[in-house]
Amino acid sequence: MGRKPRFTKDQFSTAALSLVSEGGPKAVTVAAIAARTGAPVGSVYHRFPSREHLLAEAWLRLAGSFQRGFIDLLEKGDPVEAALYTVRWVRRHPGEAKVLLLHRKEELVAGGNWPPEVRRQAADLAGELRSALVSFSKRFFGSPEKRFTRRSVFALVDIPLAAVRRSLEEDRVPSTAVYSLVRESCEALMRRMP
Amino acid sequence: MGRKPRFTKDQFSTAALSLVSEGGPKAVTVAAIAARTGAPVGSVYHRFPSREHLLAEAWLRLAGSFQRGFIDLLEKGDPVEAALYTVRWVRRHPGEAKVLLLHRKEELVAGGNWPPEVRRQAADLAGELRSALVSFSKRFFGSPEKRFTRRSVFALVDIPLAAVRRSLEEDRVPSTAVYSLVRESCEALMRRMP
DNA sequence: CTTTTATTAGAATATTGATTCTAATATGTC
DNA sequence: GACATATTAGAATCAATATTCTAATAAAAG
């Protein structure tokens, strides 16, 4: 019973993400989110207890979907493929990529005041990524030493991000040229038994 | 003539930078800057026409001093040394590094509304870096092709930044282990005649 | 058809932060 | 010492935003 909803949570969080993408964290006001979807501000608060919940949830959904693809590929065991996944994903989703790679989540939600429940989810997400990398590294290098994990993180995560960040900042889709730069550095760093 | 000043521009911009470093762009309110230096807000406005001028000026000063060292080293012609400079600098100035590497300048100054005069200075700074890299690349690879410049930028700028970013986000000084990661990737990418 | 209630609608409120203003204070100059 | 003025002091204003509140709507249930 009750009136039929005209707006969904998804519409609001999608609008929020595109606002971040276009104008950075400062542009994501509740009024702007409402305006973009054509809803009154009251309706936003009907779906989310606060702006922070909205943003946190939107960020989590996005980060999760990006990360799942990466972990899947990581489990196949080929480091170069995993590294290139990031570049492919960014080229396919440039708008979302800006949200994820150009802004720290601490700045989306004022002063990192994430709702505790969401904070736990974020920690879980980070934990999953971490342990996927640790176990990949063990398998790949045949050793659980920390320096190998560090190396894997650098080669498979940090380098690909570095390769696309500049383009995203200038609002361009990364060129295909970055594939070979990422491949070369990744191959150089990831030889078994270094 | 007139009363003797108790506060300097430098005190204010230094306070501003440390506030950014500790709490991100949102933490740099004019009141916070004043409080940190012990000055009344009026005195801040006596030195700077606006918060944006203050932040822009502070950012420029910092970016300039970092960049000058890098360009000097670049002109000596050794790519690995130039790449390692960034790591050394960050290890020596972790607080300042957070300001420079963890936040886009567009977010320090609301919506990138930089005062026009300062915007020109920022463009000059970026131009200097760019042309230093272009001419390094020409000398090093013996060719002015764009793909070589891209490669140099990636190896000498983007990779070192990637190597330190994670530590800075977690508020740690990058370990010495990153030196070898940066060196290895840089050497792999920068062989003459690739 | 009436009742119930989830939802829309958007106005009212409260808070935070930048900027401006008025007054008080020193300091160098005459 | 009196004057002129740069500076300190901090209160008063103004604007932007998140959040709350009150009323109007529309759909479902009986």
Side-chain angles (χ1 to χ4, degrees), chain B residues 16-86:
Chain B
L17 291 180
S18 68
L19 284 164
V20 179
S21 179
E22 294 161 23
K26 298 218 181 70
V28 206
T29 67
V30 175
I33 295 170
R36 172 143 315 190
T37 56
V41 292
S43 292
V44 175
Y45 281 93
H46 208 276
R47 297 268 180 285
F48 295 95
S50 76
R51 172 182 179 273
E52 322 217 322
H53 279 82
L54 194 170
L55 287 175
E57 209 173 299
W59 188 91
L60 270 180
R61 182 162 60 91
L62 182 57
S65 92
F66 166 69
Q67 173 166 322
R68 248 182 300 289
F70 178 77
I71 291 180
D72 286 354
L73 216 42
L74 200 57
E75 283 167 353
K76 299 228 176 94
D78 180 345
V80 174
E81 275 310 303
L84 294 179
Y85 166 80
T86 299

Side-chain angles (χ1 to χ4, degrees), chain B residues 7 46 80 93 96 102 113 115 117 135 148 150 155 162 164 174 184:
Chain B
F7 310 99
H46 208 276
V80 174
H93 310 280
E96 285 96 331
L102 256 34
N113 292 338
E117 174 222 347
S135 84
F148 291 132
R150 261 205 298 267
V164 297
E184 284 178 52

